């Protein structure tokens, strides 16, 4: 029988397969590729030698050689996949952080930049509503003298109404003469004094800001909280103007299905005085635990500025009259977002804060 160039093909294949499975790294594999399957390989040499065969034999031998090449190439790919996986595992193992060690690696900064908190957002929304109604926005100090926080507001020393505000006193000057403001009403006094001194009456302004009271925090009270005060001093102002502003604000801020009502109340700086209530936003007026089944929630106080207050700051009560109101910004946030506990506003829990932006 005539010899064929492929007589030892099976042995060659076995040798190549053994060589492939001995390759120990990707580098070795890449270096060996040319001699295993490339131009310098036994397979390529055999391929060339087929040219000397008869056409019939050449076809059979060619097919045989093709099959052999496929077998070797696929063994090589399997080996490549295995070595790549091993090398990946080595990199991971090498780069693994031992949590027992001090970690000095710098990780990319992924924390978000943050945004204003719910109270600040609520304050802005309230300011927007009032600015839309023609009010300016004014600021006042958080540390006040007794005069601004109480006396000018018709609350003389030892007046029983002082009991309405549990006051933090600041250790400055005579005892109990400097306070952390218990409400934003003292800012009214500053505005009126300035307007009288500069001849710039009338006033249409809102005054948002932080207030302090010696209260025990609970679901509806904080000892550091926020109010927004409103003051209008102009000619011919009546209680109807006050009621109209309160109602317009209520619908603009809470929505058209929420309305307001005024109930007789008492504040030393307004006469008459009223408590300002809005439809309970939890039950929409049906009556629920939050509103004590009345359908209404108290938001703040209001009234016509008492002539004694106008006199204290030198506004001529013959020419000017006005109304004022004040209510809680935190309470608005609570009602608008149906917060069951107002203390969430001060606890800085990111899971709470992230819900509002
Ligand atoms: N200052 C009052 C408080 O903190 C709220 C208030 C009531 C403000 C009547 C006003 C007002 O301007 O007219 O309880």
């Amino acid at each position: 029988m005539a010899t064929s160039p492929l007589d030892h093909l099976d042995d060659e294949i076995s040798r190549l397969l053994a060589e492939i499975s001995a390759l120990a790294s990707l580098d070795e594999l890449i270096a060996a590729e040319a001699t295993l399957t490339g131009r310098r390989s036994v397979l390529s040499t055999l391929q060339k030698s087929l040219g000397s065969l008869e056409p019939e034999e050449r076809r059979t031998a060619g097919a045989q050689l093709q099959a052999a090449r496929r077998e070797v190439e696929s063994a090589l790919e399997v080996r490549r996949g295995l070595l790549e996986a091993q090398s990946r595992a080595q990199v991971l193992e090498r780069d693994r952080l031992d949590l027992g060690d001090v970690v000095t690696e710098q990780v990319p900064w992924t924390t978000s930049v943050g945004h204003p908190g719910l109270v600040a957002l609520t304050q802005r929304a309230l300011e927007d509503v009032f600015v839309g109604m023609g009010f300016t926005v004014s600021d006042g100090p958080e540390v006040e003298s007794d005069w601004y926080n109480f006396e000018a507001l018709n609350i003389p020393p030892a007046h029983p109404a002082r009991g309405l505000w549990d006051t933090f006193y600041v250790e400055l000057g005579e005892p109990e003469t400097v306070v952390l403001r218990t409400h934003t009403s003292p800012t009214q006094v500053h505005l009126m004094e300035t307007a009288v001194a500069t001849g710039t009456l009338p006033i249409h302004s809102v005054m948002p800001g932080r207030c302090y009271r010696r209260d025990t925090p609970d679901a509806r009270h904080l000892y550091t909280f926020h109010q927004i005060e409103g003051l209008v001093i102009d000619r011919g102002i009546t209680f109807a103007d006050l009621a109209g502003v309160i109602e317009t604000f209520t619908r603009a801020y809470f929505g058209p299905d929420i309305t307001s009502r005024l109930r007789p109340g008492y504040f030393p700086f307004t006469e008459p005085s009223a408590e300002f209530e809005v439809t309970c936003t939890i039950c929409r007026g049906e009556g629920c635990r939050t509103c004590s089944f009345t359908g209404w929630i108290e938001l703040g106080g209001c009234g016509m500025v008492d002539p004694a207050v106008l006199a204290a700051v030198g506004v001529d009560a013959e020419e000017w009259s006005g109304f004022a109101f004040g209510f809680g910004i935190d309470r608005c946030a609570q009602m608008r977002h149906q917060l069951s506990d107002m203390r969430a506003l001060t606890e800085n829990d990111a899971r709470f804060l992230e819900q509002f932006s």
Side-chain angles (χ1 to χ4, degrees):
M1 204 176 105
T3 59
S4 149
L6 300 189
D7 276 350
H8 303 292
L9 186 59
D10 284 349
D11 292 344
E12 284 301 337
I13 292 175
S14 309
R15 192 181 56 75
L16 289 172
L17 293 181
E19 233 176 275
I20 287 172
S21 54
L23 293 171
S25 71
L26 273 179
D27 287 347
E28 273 185 42
L29 182 144
I30 290 162
E33 229 168 347
T35 53
L36 290 169
T37 56
R39 273 183 294 115
R40 284 184 280 130
S41 66
V42 179
L43 293 173
S44 297
T45 315
L46 289 173
Q47 182 78 38
K48 278 176 215 140
S49 68
L50 298 186
S52 60
L53 296 175
E54 293 301 317
E56 181 64 23
E57 276 184 291
R58 197 190 312 148
R59 212 172 302 122
T60 326
Q64 224 182 325
L65 203 53
Q66 270 307 317
R69 179 176 282 280
R70 270 200 299 276
E71 194 181 349
V72 175
E73 280 177 348
S74 93
L76 193 63
E77 286 322 301
V78 168
R79 189 73 192 157
R80 190 196 307 276
L82 195 86
L83 292 173
E84 278 174 350
Q86 266 176 19
S87 133
R88 255 198 315 275
Q90 276 163 11
V91 170
L92 287 179
E93 177 60 25
R94 193 190 60 219
D95 291 353
R96 190 170 67 90
L97 291 176
D98 182 348
L99 294 180
D101 285 342
V102 176
V103 177
T104 54
E105 187 188 38
Q106 291 221 335
V107 290
W109 184 254
T110 53
T111 311
S112 66
V113 230
H115 57 78
L118 180 54
V119 175
L121 292 170
T122 306
Q123 178 174 324
R124 284 184 199 173
L126 293 170
E127 287 173 11
D128 280 352
V129 171
F130 284 111
V131 166
M133 291 165 70
F135 286 78
T136 60
V137 179
S138 314
D139 233 358
E142 290 177 22
V143 179
E144 286 284 15
S145 67
D146 186 88
W147 162 260
Y148 285 102
N149 197 77
F150 292 122
E151 265 192 76
L153 291 166
N154 201 27
I155 317 167
H159 190 285
R162 289 207 177 196
L164 293 173
W165 296 277
D166 285 318
T167 310
F168 280 118
Y169 291 94
V170 177
E171 281 186 16
L172 204 68
E174 291 293 301
E176 305 201 350
T177 54
V178 180
V179 305
L180 294 183
R181 68 176 175 192
T182 58
H183 49 180
T184 41
S185 300
T187 312
Q188 288 184 33
V189 180
H190 288 286
L191 283 196
M192 286 188 280
E193 277 183 348
T194 308
V196 167
T198 55
T200 50
L201 285 171
I203 297 170
H204 305 86
S205 195
V206 289
M207 298 143 258
R210 196 192 303 261
C211 307
Y212 305 83
R213 278 186 208 172
R214 228 154 20 83
D215 271 341
T216 305
D218 64 27
R220 281 162 52 83
H221 297 91
L222 302 171
Y223 55 80
T224 301
F225 58 101
H226 301 78
Q227 286 190 338
I228 185 161
E229 191 82 11
L231 177 69
V232 170
I233 302 285
D234 207 335
R235 296 183 178 91
I237 296 293
T238 70
F239 199 90
D241 297 313
L242 166 60
V245 163
I246 296 282
E247 179 65 6
T248 306
F249 155 75
T250 302
R251 288 172 184 272
Y253 181 71
F254 290 107
D257 56 334
I258 302 293
T259 188
S260 66
R261 74 173 184 185
L262 300 177
R263 302 204 318 153
Y266 170 73
F267 296 98
F269 30 89
T270 40
E271 180 60 36
S273 299
E275 263 152 30
F276 151 28
E277 298 185 339
V278 299
T279 320
C280 175
T281 54
I282 312 287
C283 63
R284 306 262 140 188
E286 293 288 306
C288 67
R289 284 232 327 270
T290 308
C291 62
S292 309
F293 300 96
T294 62
W296 296 92
I297 295 270
E298 191 195 323
L299 209 58
C302 59
M304 302 307 288
V305 179
D306 193 301
V309 175
L310 298 179
V313 293
V315 171
D316 180 2
E318 293 294 317
E319 185 181 357
W320 307 97
S321 60
F323 64 78
F325 57 83
F327 56 89
I329 294 176
D330 321 77
R331 183 63 53 80
C332 283
Q334 179 175 39
M335 306 248 310
R336 175 119 166 214
H337 299 285
Q338 299 167 8
L339 312 178
S340 56
D341 195 322
M342 217 141 88
R343 285 170 291 193
L345 294 172
T346 60
E347 281 165 357
N348 278 338
D349 185 330
R351 291 166 301 178
F352 172 77
L353 297 173
E354 278 164 3
Q355 296 176 61
F356 312 98
S357 60

